[in-house]
Amino acid sequence: MERIILGAITSQMKHVIGKSQHRFINGKSCLTNLVAFYDKVTCSVEVGRAVDIVYLEFSKAFDMVSHSLLLEKWMHYGLDKWFMWWGSILRPTLFSIFISDLDDGIKRTLMKFADDPKLSGEADTSERRATLQEDLDRLEEWANKNLMQFNKDKGKVLHLGKHNPGVQHRLGPTQLGSSSVERDPGVLVDNQLNMSERRAAVAKKANRMLGCTNEGITSRDKEAIIPFYSALATPGILSPLRKKDVDRLERVQGRATKMLKGLGSLPYEERLRELGLFSLEKRRLRGDLITMFQYLKGGYKEDGDSLFTRSHMEKTRGNGYKLLLGRSRLDTRGKFVTMRTISLGIISPGNGESKAYLFMGPYTYRLVKELHQGERLNNPSSLSRSSSDLCSRPSTSFVALLWTRSSTSMSLL
């Protein structure tokens, strides 16, 4: 019963909670929060603008909510007050409704992930810095009005851009400190936007995990070793910019495969073939394709409409559902997820709405074909499922199952 009420309230209040909240809402996640926010940031940095990002956090957020003010907002939106007492399952949704008006009057980009808001704005002129400061003043005013407090000790500013003056900002009377690296949900963001800190932290954690495995587990079977580093291959919003970052991650998998019985003397590529595994580069490609599908045809389609621009040129061959790939001067923009996924190919919906096709270049074609062949060998039963079943579960299905020999196309599932 609680879940039924939660679903009804969430559906009714989706327009109130707004696009800036990316948690506790269907179709929103940590990924959509990062992509929507840093897509705008990288666009500004790409054209040479200085950008300041202010990371904020509420102090004891859920415990500080005033019940009387929450009830007042609840009634204002036309909801029955008795719904508020339906257990703890409603608590996250109640908090999202309580802070839904945090965006009111904000001129720059504000994103929220649960109780962690972040604000970004261009800061290359005094007028733009003043606008960003005005938004911070509005946030402080909102907190005072709603009997909430920001944890000002944890509030930090990240200065991006080659010619960023690094001007300090304040929240109320408190000057916010500057930082070169900040933790956002799931990632470490540095002032160069190259994610090297994140890659180094992932590699260090994985190596430490493998060290513990080597000392604590006597078995050298695949089932005992492989799961310990499988999380390393999840795609990030920014692909590794430097070769040393790519090599650092690949060496972790190389070390893990060497630990397996009878494979230590084989070259890395042969070890992967023996185990039915792929390099991390190919696994990142798979993740990128799934992410692209989610934004264009899947659960994130609402956000995808604002992130991708479709081309309707009649002179192009084939379908009219092609994506425009803009030019990028910097790798921080060119390797961002919304840019690098378009460079993989062109999406087409096919003959019906239940399918989507990717027309790709020869390099991507070869990589995806290898992934497809490996998936078919490792999981042959997946080929017997219907297209409608696969399309209803895009996040758990493999991205390449139905091949057409006459053209370099594949079904995106």
Side-chain angles (χ1 to χ4, degrees):
M1 187 62 180
E2 287 184 353
R3 293 192 176 277
I4 294 175
I5 294 176
L6 175 62
I9 293 174
T10 303
S11 177
Q12 182 177 346
M13 300 300 293
K14 190 173 182 179
H15 69 286
V16 173
I17 296 175
K19 292 185 178 181
S20 66
Q21 178 60 272
H22 286 256
R23 197 174 183 187
F24 315 129
I25 304 174
N26 290 334
K28 302 288 185 178
S29 67
C30 176
L31 176 64
T32 62
N33 176 277
L34 295 172
V35 171
F37 186 79
Y38 290 103
D39 182 69
K40 296 180 179 180
V41 170
T42 55
C43 281
S44 296
V45 174
E46 167 69 21
V47 296
R49 300 279 174 79
V51 178
D52 284 350
I53 304 177
V54 184
Y55 296 92
L56 301 173
E57 181 180 329
F58 284 109
S59 179
K60 301 179 181 179
F62 287 81
D63 297 329
M64 292 286 291
V65 172
S66 168
H67 290 184
S68 60
L69 289 176
L70 175 60
L71 181 60
E72 183 180 327
K73 293 184 180 183
W74 187 266
M75 300 292 288
H76 173 73
Y77 295 129
L79 296 171
D80 193 315
K81 65 180 181 180
W82 299 110
F83 283 158
M84 291 183 60
W85 314 114
W86 274 92
S88 60
I89 194 172
L90 292 181
R91 193 179 184 191
T93 303
L94 292 175
F95 181 78
S96 297
I97 293 173
F98 184 76
I99 65 172
S100 61
D101 56 346
L102 184 65
D103 308 62
D104 292 353
I106 299 298
K107 298 179 181 179
R108 298 308 182 197
T109 303
L110 178 70
M111 290 285 175
K112 294 170 287 190
F113 188 74
D115 60 338
D116 295 331
K118 53 180 177 279
L119 178 71
S120 73
E122 295 177 355
D124 49 341
T125 66
S126 57
E127 291 79 7
R128 288 171 176 159
R129 292 193 293 271
T131 302
L132 185 60
Q133 182 58 56
E134 289 173 5
D135 285 345
L136 287 171
D137 293 339
R138 288 190 185 92
L139 294 178
E140 178 69 6
E141 182 182 349
W142 182 94
N144 294 332
K145 180 181 178 181
N146 289 271
L147 306 180
M148 297 285 288
Q149 292 181 2
F150 287 105
N151 190 333
K152 297 174 182 177
D153 292 334
K154 292 186 178 181
K156 299 293 182 182
V157 181
L158 198 64
H159 302 287
L160 307 176
K162 186 175 180 180
H163 302 292
N164 196 308
V167 174
Q168 282 191 312
H169 299 279
R170 57 178 176 79
L171 189 62
T174 305
Q175 293 283 348
L176 297 176
S178 299
S179 175
S180 59
V181 180
E182 275 301 306
R183 182 177 295 278
D184 219 351
V187 297
L188 286 174
V189 183
D190 57 39
N191 54 12
Q192 301 297 320
L193 287 179
N194 57 30
M195 302 293 180
S196 287
E197 294 279 349
R198 161 70 176 167
R199 307 297 175 186
V202 168
K204 182 178 179 180
K205 181 179 179 180
N207 277 314
R208 185 168 60 247
M209 188 181 300
L210 288 176
C212 294
T213 304
N214 190 36
E215 294 180 3
I217 299 179
T218 57
S219 174
R220 290 296 178 263
D221 294 332
K222 174 182 176 181
E223 292 76 12
I225 305 297
I226 299 301
F228 282 93
Y229 74 92
S230 59
L232 185 66
T234 54
I237 61 170
L238 194 67
S239 185
L241 301 183
R242 303 174 181 176
K243 187 178 185 300
K244 69 174 186 178
D245 293 330
V246 177
D247 294 341
R248 179 189 287 128
L249 295 177
E250 209 70 56
R251 281 197 299 270
V252 175
Q253 182 163 270
R255 179 187 174 192
T257 56
K258 267 191 173 183
M259 293 169 59
L260 298 174
K261 182 170 57 178
L263 299 181
S265 60
L266 297 178
Y268 178 52
E269 291 76 12
E270 291 188 23
R271 295 200 301 271
L272 293 181
R273 280 196 293 270
E274 288 288 332
L275 296 169
L277 299 176
F278 305 105
S279 67
L280 298 185
E281 177 191 11
K282 296 175 184 177
R283 294 173 71 179
R284 283 192 294 269
L285 169 64
R286 177 185 184 273
D288 284 347
L289 293 174
I290 292 175
T291 299
M292 178 188 274
F293 177 86
Q294 288 282 35
Y295 272 108
L296 294 176
K297 302 287 288 183
Y300 302 153
K301 187 177 184 301
E302 183 178 341
D303 288 345
D305 293 339
S306 61
L307 291 172
F308 298 99
T309 303
R310 300 176 186 177
S311 171
H312 300 285
M313 295 176 61
E314 296 180 357
K315 294 183 180 180
T316 56
R317 185 181 64 178
N319 65 88
Y321 193 87
K322 299 181 179 181
L323 302 178
L324 293 177
L325 175 62
R327 296 180 179 180
S328 58
R329 180 176 58 91
L330 303 174
D331 282 344
T332 52
R333 179 61 186 166
K335 292 196 174 183
F336 191 75
V337 63
T338 54
M339 295 289 289
R340 72 174 188 259
T341 50
I342 298 177
S343 66
L344 295 176
I346 305 168
I347 289 290
S348 162
N351 296 326
E353 288 300 319
S354 63
K355 293 182 180 179
Y357 296 94
L358 177 69
F359 295 84
M360 62 194 71
Y363 175 69
T364 308
Y365 176 82
R366 288 196 301 270
L367 290 182
V368 177
K369 188 174 181 180
E370 290 179 31
L371 287 167
H372 166 63
Q373 291 171 340
E375 177 72 10
R376 183 172 56 188
L377 292 173
N378 293 335
N379 188 18
S381 63
S382 64
L383 297 178
S384 63
R385 289 182 287 178
S386 66
S387 297
S388 58
D389 291 338
L390 291 167
C391 287
S392 65
R393 300 172 59 195
S395 62
T396 58
S397 305
F398 190 62
V399 295
L401 291 176
L402 303 176
W403 285 85
T404 304
R405 288 183 177 271
S406 59
S407 64
T408 55
S409 66
M410 68 167 215
S411 287
L412 247 181
L413 304 174

